[in-house]
Amino acid sequence: MASEPEHRYQLRDLEEALQKSPADLAAFLSDTHPADVAEWLEELEDDDARRVLGALPVELQAEVLSFTDDWRVGELLTLIEVPQLVEIVEELPADEVVDLLARTEDAKSEEVLRQVDLERAKGLRELLAYDEESAGGVMTTDFVTVPLDISVGDAIKEIRSEEGPASEEEVGVFVVDKAGRPVGFVSDRDLITTPIHTPIEEVMEKDLIVSKAGDDQEEAAHQLAKYNLSALPVVDETGVLIGVISAEDAHEVLQDEVEEDLYRLVGTSIEDPTRVSVLHRVRHRLPLLALTMCGGLVTASILYFALGSTGSSGSGRTADILRFLPIIIALAGNVGVQSSTILVRGFATGEISPDRGAAVVWAEVLTGLVIGGICGAATMIAAAYMEGGGLSGLQFGASVGVAIVVAVTWASFLGCTVPTLCQRWGIDPAIVAGPFLITLSDISGSAIFVTVAALMAVTTAH
Amino acid sequence: MASEPEHRYQLRDLEEALQKSPADLAAFLSDTHPADVAEWLEELEDDDARRVLGALPVELQAEVLSFTDDWRVGELLTLIEVPQLVEIVEELPADEVVDLLARTEDAKSEEVLRQVDLERAKGLRELLAYDEESAGGVMTTDFVTVPLDISVGDAIKEIRSEEGPASEEEVGVFVVDKAGRPVGFVSDRDLITTPIHTPIEEVMEKDLIVSKAGDDQEEAAHQLAKYNLSALPVVDETGVLIGVISAEDAHEVLQDEVEEDLYRLVGTSIEDPTRVSVLHRVRHRLPLLALTMCGGLVTASILYFALGSTGSSGSGRTADILRFLPIIIALAGNVGVQSSTILVRGFATGEISPDRGAAVVWAEVLTGLVIGGICGAATMIAAAYMEGGGLSGLQFGASVGVAIVVAVTWASFLGCTVPTLCQRWGIDPAIVAGPFLITLSDISGSAIFVTVAALMAVTTAH
């Protein structure tokens, strides 16, 4: 991305390094931020990805994986053998291990669990048992607690004596009573600035907000955000502290929640919409679009029966055609907004870099074509049947079907190009992605429909 | 909210406390989390809000304000006199002061700046000069730096010697060279766990990601999120460290960004959509809906000219009516999705609590009615004109206009009730908010249109 400092390496630098010796590749990678390596892994072929991972020491492999997007982690895990995975697992905090294992085939994950330290495996199995969408599913069990009756200096000693993978997200310690229930929280900053002989009870924050392991993860994340906490304690049924949700993880949950709402709102796949295959896109969008299509057929029927019975003049060819206009503009509008939403968010998150733009647009337009083809064919049959079948019914149905294919494909093309041009011209693409785009799609859908109908009437008249 | 622990007080407890003596009110408030007080301030009348603020000690006033939503902060600031505001300003970190002052009238803000410590006022004025949307606009200047040539123990002493409002968001210190350029970062946790005689250079993270003060705040926030940083240093043109963006603030920027995209996508107000007045809603949505309406009129014209020239049978009353169907379903669909989006997000963020549901629905339906009325009247005139004017043209236009009012109001009612029912039945409201709702709105819009047209034809035939 152009916005990054110039000394940062780019994907093409890695591609150059891949041409050189393993030692050169290792040297290049050691000079690069793991988050950048993670981003590149999302673009590389599996073979190259395997070489990159292989050239990294195991701590960095673990770190790179923790930066990699979930969809790619799942794929990369199939490239990593069990012994290597065991080493990686030993480097990561528990909640990230659980995320990794949840994305590994069951047999392999079981094999890994059998090879890690017994105590740790027990903890991991417990974490794995929580619903992924619950507070238990997002918490980590790697955290430090201190008893209530010690001093600040002793608490610092406790932190120093803790072993195991340290998490960068740890910013304080929870104080627990004798039964293990959380009674206070002290930030690292307070530990540093308070005289060491002060009893911990005097410096700790007492008014704790707690979450239960079975609570919804979004509810827990909203609590953390509302009370501006740096960590949210998670307790079991008896009130004993069993885990901690970091602010970082809670914010990720909230961010995902609103992204999901946004994609659900337009009826498209909620995960990695710029990366998934055309088939995946079609499969995700088709159910709601089929509903849109059925709704359009209901509308056409309502118009047929209602207008036939209002005593207005007989329904000629023009009226016949117009009854199917709602179905066309509804389908085109939907598909257009799906494409534009994906582009808008892709630009906003930086996921659509300049060199990926064309691929995303191509996949979206192809998706539009396939969806248009399926809905067009189905509507053609329905329209032909509703018009009484026969050659004229079929010809009529074909006009409607062809118009749908063209209008839907065109709408997804508009949905890609309008936000792209806005992005290039420095206009916020989100402003044009919704109502403006639907209006464009409505107008052009109508124009396409009447043009197709006219052309087909001319063609078949010969 | 039902989800909160039972020992937490509710708004009705505060309302009870407001009936009692000032001492009782103060006692009640001292027992309550500032985030809860902030939430209640959003519901209270100004007079009660003033009493609540007045009953709090100044540190808590500052804390409550830092938890309060921006829209309400602006209103509350008008209730606070300058001397009190000066005291509050002294309690808050610089970035929050700047947010407060940006929401105060210029004269009052100037008065406050004249009364705070000279050195601090200078820093605040510098911060106020940055574009609110830039990295400089979101950074704070209250942070600790340490020089490169000291030990961990000395760094800890530096932190202890710092005065001024401590931020809970501080989780480490930046190391700067002699020119003040950032060269490293050490987390508080590392300071705690490293032997005190270790040179700071050995423990600091060296590979810093930095942001420039003029960078877009969203770009800076994306950098922090990508590299999973706990704080992002902000530098001036010469590379000198002038501020820090906390992870907390960066995540807020990212969250706001995607929320804004979501609301922009449906063409509605991006700030506090469940709270603003009906007039505000109408004013925000009308421009894009006017575009939708114009698009619908273009569509109607295309259909008129194209179908008139395809050689199909003459356009009777049925065809005339159908040409205006796209405009009706486009307006109704848009308005319906606006309502449903606001409801869906309101439920997700918890902003629509059970006792506010009815008020939000009422405001949305009223908004639908006003928008329907305006767009209906405009379309009536256009349709009457397009149909050649006269009594029959007017009657036709009136059918279209009335149908728009009814269909748009009905769509916003659907947009409110469908997500509400889903929420009650435990279905994710986001799934029905988009295409499903548009389909419902399309079908019912068509039915409303033909019914209105039929009724008006009957009425005027008498």
Side-chain angles (χ1 to χ4, degrees), chain A residues 115-134:
Chain A
Q115 295 189 27
V116 298
D117 173 78
L118 208 69
E119 190 59 30
R120 185 138 206 254
K122 186 162 157 274
L124 291 174
R125 278 180 210 280
E126 277 168 19
L127 271 185
L128 275 166
Y130 290 108
D131 182 350
E132 261 199 275
E133 300 291 310
S134 71

Side-chain angles (χ1 to χ4, degrees), chain A residues 404-425:
Chain A
I404 288 180
V405 179
V406 178
V408 168
T409 312
W410 170 248
S412 64
F413 176 75
L414 275 183
C416 292
T417 45
V418 172
T420 305
L421 291 177
C422 285
Q423 172 81 359
R424 201 161 293 172
W425 295 334

Side-chain angles (χ1 to χ4, degrees), chain A residues 160 192 228 248 264 428, chain B residues 160 192 228 248 264 428:
Chain A
R160 287 199 178 139
I192 287 177
N228 200 8
E248 157 83 30
R264 284 217 177 96
D428 180 356
Chain B
R160 288 198 178 141
I192 288 178
N228 200 8
E248 157 82 32
R264 285 218 176 94
D428 180 355

Side-chain angles (χ1 to χ4, degrees), chain A residues 8 36 160 172 188-189 192 209 222 226-228 248 261 264-265 299 312 318 345 348 428 434-435 446, chain B residues 8 36 160 172 188-189 192 209 219 222 226-228 248 261 264-265 299 312 318 345 348 428 434 446:
Chain A
R8 305 232 144 247
D36 287 319
R160 287 199 178 139
D188 286 355
R189 181 56 57 107
I192 287 177
I209 312 285
H222 278 293
K226 175 183 170 186
Y227 294 103
N228 200 8
E248 157 83 30
D261 276 1
R264 284 217 177 96
L265 190 72
T299 300
S312 50
T318 309
R345 286 308 301 161
D428 180 356
S446 311
Chain B
R8 305 233 143 248
D36 288 319
R160 288 198 178 141
D188 286 354
R189 181 56 58 105
I192 288 178
I209 311 286
E219 195 182 300
H222 277 292
K226 176 183 170 184
Y227 293 104
N228 200 8
E248 157 82 32
D261 276 2
R264 285 218 176 94
L265 190 73
T299 300
S312 49
T318 309
R345 285 308 302 161
D428 180 355
S446 311

